Amino acid sequence: MFNKKKQPPIKSLIAEGSRITGDISFADGLRVDGDVTGNIRASDEVASILVISESAKVIGEVVADHIIINGSVKGPVHARLMLELQPKARIEGDVQYAALEMHQGALIAGQLRPIILGEEEKPTLKLAANNQ
């Protein structure tokens, strides 16, 4: 699905130790290592990727095409194409996804709602193997 195309470059970084209050809009790619209180929304005009690292804490809505989470999110998550939950991902809020990859250890306190892309297509769910 998303992996067949070239992923957009990550052009912006919110560094560890940074604290941002307010909504963030971005295009292409964004990596969050710090704390954000506000909504993070990718443009729907171009492909987007959002990485929320292990040290990151986000309080607010998160929307992008491809989202990779290994940190903490308190708020709804909407992955238009692909959501990857790494082992230390913690989500408190409802999650919408077209495809979901969830590693052992990731936690969600909320409802999972697949996005139905077409009548023939069903959302994909993949449980990542523990590679220890």
Side-chain angles (χ1 to χ4, degrees), residues 23-27 39-43 50 61-64 80:
D23 294 344
I24 299 171
S25 297
F26 71 97
N39 301 325
I40 302 175
R41 178 175 287 275
S43 168
L50 173 62
E61 181 182 28
V62 175
V63 179
R80 294 185 285 241

Side-chain angles (χ1 to χ4, degrees), residues 7 10-11 25 27 29 39 46 53 55-56 59 65 71 73 75 79 81 85 89-91 96 107 115-117 122:
Q7 290 189 352
I10 294 179
K11 294 183 176 181
S25 297
N39 301 325
V46 296
S53 75
S55 61
I59 300 173
D65 291 336
V73 176
L81 295 177
L85 300 178
R90 303 291 180 262
I91 299 175
Q96 287 186 317
L107 295 175
I115 300 168
I116 306 301
L117 301 174
K122 292 187 178 180

Side-chain angles (χ1 to χ4, degrees), residues 9-80:
I10 294 179
K11 294 183 176 181
S12 301
L13 168 68
I14 298 172
E16 189 172 353
S18 299
R19 287 197 172 120
I20 295 181
T21 301
D23 294 344
I24 299 171
S25 297
F26 71 97
D28 294 321
L30 170 66
R31 180 181 172 98
V32 178
D33 291 340
D35 297 346
V36 175
T37 302
N39 301 325
I40 302 175
R41 178 175 287 275
S43 168
D44 56 359
E45 296 175 8
V46 296
S48 59
I49 185 167
L50 173 62
V51 177
I52 299 175
S53 75
E54 182 178 339
S55 61
K57 292 179 184 156
V58 176
I59 300 173
E61 181 182 28
V62 175
V63 179
D65 291 336
H66 187 171
I67 302 173
I68 301 169
I69 299 176
N70 200 24
S72 170
V73 176
K74 289 185 181 182
V77 175
H78 182 88
R80 294 185 285 241

